[in-house]
């Protein structure tokens, strides 16, 4: 039996399995998450970093720079609600049955419910002058200790560092102790320095404090070098007291990633997840547009010495409520599409592209570039051959199980977006094939009506060699700009070398 006949029989058998899987196999759509998180965008709400997440009566509430609020039962499926008065870098804390919200250069707000309405309680009173470390409440965090004492942590500007003051339990707008300076910029901590190469030894921006108590230890988290850099990162100090003295952790930085789609990981918060473990939420800084940001989350683990660590992820991971013995293990799905639109992949195709906005940019694993099809391309598409590209390689088949799309968002006018965010409703479909000729729809979102600029979806597992993305509609107020298209999955079989494949050059 010759190789061509073997190949045809294999394709026929696989296609029948392919059809069966597409029709019968279902997945738990909340079993995995993938960073950046696919947050809904709504009127007065944009998930644009500086993220605080709290838990109240089994529901999680998220607040970000960009306004609005999100809520979820499982930290996976978030609903959006317009909430007035959400400031830049919001912090929300429950104290004595009320919810207090503060942020950059704003008064303290109060509400009976985490979704508001929040009304002004008052400005901060009896505060020190700038020389004493006060700057009008920049990147604040109200922490309530186990003895119900409230503390305010805040950052100075530039290199000045992090401060703490005890608040009056009867009036949280008043200080009840002298301000204490806890930490400042240390240029021996190279990751704290300004710049994409941390090249400024005397410049930094220390910000974003978050206090977390765990097993009797106080963990003071902070961010540096600045939110405009992909070197933006977080570190932490520890103490046996909420007011110090604090010791620099030996495994710093806690959060730092400078390559790929998840970069500039800092300024976030910690919350107990549905699994009983602590989870880290953080800001993600994009390469383009400058200042563009998203949200990420990952598990926190502690070693036998109490050192805290976070493995930053950018591939599908088990959800916080996924109850199995392997819930802390990587689920194993890999990105399959990176750099597979190029001269070596002759069977990968695209419908159109503009100069400087090439289709290859949609699969380069970099947020600073994007694919922009021609204006007359009414249904732009990219077809990717997942198999190796040369005639000397075996034909690798893959079982795909996830999809990520990231669209370019111009974040240069923050206040306009907070008041009037644009619509980000994208409609699309994913088709798959074993032979590059016969395609089957594996995932259909051609009727989508949910506004998101980052998308992650579980795909019912299906074996294929070719994947095609077709975008059927998008907001026509601006050109289509796709930063990244990622298909996730695992190798699941192979054929002989590609010289036996019809149409392979």
């Amino acid at each position: 039996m010759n190789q061509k006949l073997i190949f045809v029989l294999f394709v026929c058998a696989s296609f029948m399995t392919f059809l069966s899987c597409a029709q019968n196999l279902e997945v738990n759509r909340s079993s995995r998450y993938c960073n950046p998180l696919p947050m809904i965008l709504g009127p007065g709400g944009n998930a644009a970093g500086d993220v605080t997440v709290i838990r109240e009566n089994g529901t999680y509430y998220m607040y970000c720079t960009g306004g609005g609020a999100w809520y979820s039962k499982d930290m996976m499926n978030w609903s959006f609600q317009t909430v007035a008065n959400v400031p830049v870098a919001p912090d929300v804390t429950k104290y004595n049955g009320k919810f207090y919200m503060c942020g950059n250069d704003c008064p303290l707000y109060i509400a009976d419910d985490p979704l508001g309405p929040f009304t002004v309680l008052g400005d901060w009173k009896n505060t020190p002058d700038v020389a004493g470390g006060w700057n009008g409440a920049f990147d604040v965090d109200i922490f309530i200790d186990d003895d119900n004492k409230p503390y305010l942590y805040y950052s100075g500007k530039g290199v000045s560092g992090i401060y703490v003051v005890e608040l009056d339990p009867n009036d949280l707008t008043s200080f009840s102790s002298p301000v204490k300076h806890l930490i400042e910029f240390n240029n021996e901590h190279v990751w704290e320095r300004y710049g994409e190469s941390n090249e400024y030894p005397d410049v930094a921006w220390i910000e974003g404090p978050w206090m977390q108590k765990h097993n009797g230890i106080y963990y003071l988290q902070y961010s540096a070098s600045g939110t405009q850099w992909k070197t933006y990162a977080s570190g932490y100090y520890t103490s046996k007291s909420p007011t110090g003295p604090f010791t620099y952790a030996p495994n710093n930085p806690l959060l730092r990633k400078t390559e790929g789609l998840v970069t500039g990981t800092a300024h976030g918060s910690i919350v107990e997840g549905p699994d009983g473990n602590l989870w880290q939420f953080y800001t993600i800084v994009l390469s383009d547009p400058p200042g563009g940001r998203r949200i990420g989350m990952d598990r926190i683990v502690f070693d036998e010495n109490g050192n805290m660590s976070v493995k930053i992820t950018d591939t599908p991971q088990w959800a916080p409520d996924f109850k199995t013995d392997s819930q802390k293990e990587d689920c194993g799905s890999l990105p399959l599409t990176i750099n597979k639109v190029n001269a070596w992949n002759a069977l990968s195709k695209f419908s159109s592209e503009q100069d400087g906005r090439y289709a290859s940019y949609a699969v380069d694993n970099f947020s600073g570039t994007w694919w922009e099809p021609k204006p007359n391309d009414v249904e732009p598409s990219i077809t990717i051959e997942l198999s190796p590209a040369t005639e000397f390689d075996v034909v690798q088949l893959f079982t795909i199980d996830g999809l990520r799309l990231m669209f370019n968002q111009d974040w240069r006018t923050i206040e306009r977006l907070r008041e009037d965010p644009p619509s980000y409703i994208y409609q699309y479909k994913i088709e798959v094939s074993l032979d590059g000729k016969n395609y089957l729809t594996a995932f259909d979102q051609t009727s989508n009506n949910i506004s998101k600029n980052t998308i992650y979806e579980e795909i019912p597992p299906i074996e294929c060699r070719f994947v095609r993305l077709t975008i059927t509609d998008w907001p026509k107020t601006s050109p289509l700009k796709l930063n990244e298209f990622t298909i996730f999955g695992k190798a699941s079989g192979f054929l002989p070398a590609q010289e036996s494949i019809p149409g392979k050059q």
Side-chain angles (χ1 to χ4, degrees):
M1 188 178 295
N2 62 39
Q3 286 187 331
K4 289 187 177 181
L5 181 56
I6 292 174
F7 175 76
V8 170
L9 292 174
F10 179 85
V11 168
C12 291
S14 297
F15 196 70
M16 295 304 295
T17 303
F18 176 96
L19 288 171
S20 176
C21 288
Q23 294 169 356
N24 300 319
L25 188 54
E26 296 182 357
V27 294
N28 180 357
R29 295 177 63 82
S30 65
S31 64
R32 303 191 303 178
Y33 72 94
C34 187
N35 293 317
L37 298 180
M39 304 304 300
I40 296 173
L41 306 181
N46 183 14
D50 307 330
V51 54
T52 289
V53 178
I54 66 171
R55 182 180 183 179
E56 172 64 16
N57 292 329
T59 298
Y60 295 87
Y61 298 89
M62 178 190 294
Y63 313 84
C64 303
T65 291
W70 292 259
Y71 56 95
S72 171
K73 289 291 186 181
D74 56 8
M75 287 175 28
M76 291 287 295
N77 301 289
W78 295 90
S79 299
F80 173 77
Q81 179 166 318
T82 301
V83 174
N85 299 320
V86 176
V88 172
D91 177 80
V92 177
T93 304
K94 185 180 182 182
Y95 182 63
N96 291 345
K98 301 288 186 178
F99 294 89
Y100 294 85
M101 180 171 67
C102 49
N104 289 1
D105 301 317
C106 71
L108 185 63
Y109 295 90
I110 189 170
D112 294 321
D113 186 272
L115 293 177
F118 284 90
T119 58
V120 174
L121 178 64
D123 291 319
W124 302 101
K125 306 183 186 78
N126 59 299
T127 58
D129 58 24
V130 174
W134 183 251
N135 61 14
F138 180 80
D139 283 5
V140 293
D141 173 40
I142 295 177
F143 167 72
I144 312 301
D145 206 350
D146 296 339
D147 59 5
N148 208 40
K149 287 185 178 180
Y151 297 85
L152 177 70
Y153 295 83
Y154 63 93
S155 59
K157 292 184 178 179
V159 300
S160 53
I162 307 298
Y163 301 79
V164 66
V165 62
E166 190 172 339
L167 298 176
D168 184 340
N170 298 312
D171 179 8
L172 294 192
T173 64
S174 294
F175 294 179
S176 63
S177 73
V179 169
K180 188 172 183 180
H181 191 191
L182 298 179
I183 65 171
E184 62 185 356
F185 169 57
N186 184 338
N187 68 2
E188 293 183 2
H189 305 158
V190 175
W191 67 271
E192 293 181 8
R193 300 175 181 179
Y194 239 39
E196 291 293 14
S197 300
N198 300 115
E199 65 269 26
Y200 296 93
D202 301 309
V203 187
W205 197 277
I206 308 299
E207 61 183 12
W210 179 268
M211 173 55 71
Q212 186 71 36
K213 189 176 184 181
H214 177 73
N215 288 345
I217 302 297
Y218 296 85
Y219 294 80
L220 176 60
Q221 190 174 120
Y222 68 104
S223 298
S225 57
T227 192
Q228 67 269 50
W229 311 112
K230 288 193 295 180
T231 56
Y232 197 37
S234 283
Y236 71 101
Y237 284 72
T238 61
S239 177
K240 295 183 178 180
S241 165
T243 59
F246 281 87
T247 302
Y248 186 72
N251 64 328
N252 275 317
L254 174 69
L255 304 170
R256 189 176 191 271
K257 191 170 182 292
T258 61
E259 300 296 331
L261 297 181
V262 177
T263 56
T265 50
H267 197 150
S269 58
I270 298 172
V271 69
E272 182 181 306
D275 58 357
N277 297 313
L278 293 181
W279 284 73
Q280 175 77 56
F281 282 81
Y282 52 85
T283 300
I284 295 171
V285 175
L286 305 183
S287 296
D288 193 281
R293 304 195 292 179
R294 300 288 193 272
I295 304 298
M297 73 173 188
D298 282 303
R299 287 178 176 82
I300 293 175
V301 297
F302 295 87
D303 66 17
E304 64 275 10
N305 297 316
N307 295 317
M308 180 167 58
S309 64
V310 178
K311 178 185 176 183
I312 299 170
T313 67
D314 57 5
T315 58
Q317 304 294 315
W318 297 125
D321 62 348
F322 196 71
K323 305 295 185 182
T324 71
D325 293 337
S326 62
Q327 64 178 343
K328 294 183 180 179
E329 298 176 4
D330 192 295
C331 68
S333 289
L334 299 173
L336 305 179
T337 44
I338 296 176
N339 289 334
K340 290 183 180 174
V341 177
N342 56 49
W344 295 102
N345 290 75
L347 299 185
S348 292
K349 302 175 182 178
F350 52 89
S351 57
S352 71
E353 63 183 14
Q354 298 199 55
D355 288 344
R357 300 288 180 245
Y358 305 117
S360 59
Y361 289 164
V363 290
D364 62 358
N365 200 40
F366 179 50
S367 65
T369 57
W370 65 86
W371 168 50
E372 190 171 331
K374 291 182 177 179
N376 61 353
D377 192 346
V378 295
E379 288 198 351
S381 66
I382 294 181
T383 301
I384 296 180
E385 180 193 20
L386 300 177
S387 180
T390 77
E391 64 200 68
F392 306 104
D393 299 317
V394 299
V395 177
Q396 185 74 66
L397 301 178
F398 292 88
T399 295
I400 66 170
D401 56 21
L403 159 74
R404 177 175 59 201
L405 296 172
M406 286 180 59
F407 294 94
N408 185 281
Q409 174 188 3
D410 191 335
W411 207 76
R412 293 173 175 87
T413 53
I414 300 174
E415 292 305 320
R416 178 182 65 80
L417 289 175
R418 285 166 60 84
E419 296 176 3
D420 184 26
S423 171
Y424 286 96
I425 296 177
Y426 295 91
Q427 298 177 343
Y428 60 94
K429 61 182 177 180
I430 297 293
E431 298 170 286
V432 291
S433 174
L434 287 166
D435 59 5
K437 298 178 181 179
N438 301 293
Y439 280 85
L440 182 74
T441 299
F443 192 74
D444 190 338
Q445 284 284 64
T446 55
S447 298
N448 174 54
N449 61 0
I450 298 174
S451 180
K452 296 180 180 180
N453 54 25
T454 299
I455 294 167
Y456 173 73
E457 296 285 358
E458 297 277 84
I459 296 176
I462 190 166
E463 190 173 63
C464 62
R465 178 186 165 195
F466 296 87
V467 176
R468 181 164 64 205
L469 165 69
T470 302
I471 301 175
T472 57
D473 199 10
W474 64 93
K476 296 304 194 298
T477 54
S478 61
L480 175 64
K481 300 177 181 180
L482 179 60
N483 284 100
E484 201 68 22
F485 164 44
T486 314
I487 289 291
F488 297 100
K490 304 175 185 178
S492 56
F494 65 92
L495 295 174
Q498 296 186 18
E499 58 185 354
S500 64
I501 298 174
K504 189 70 182 182
Q505 301 299 317

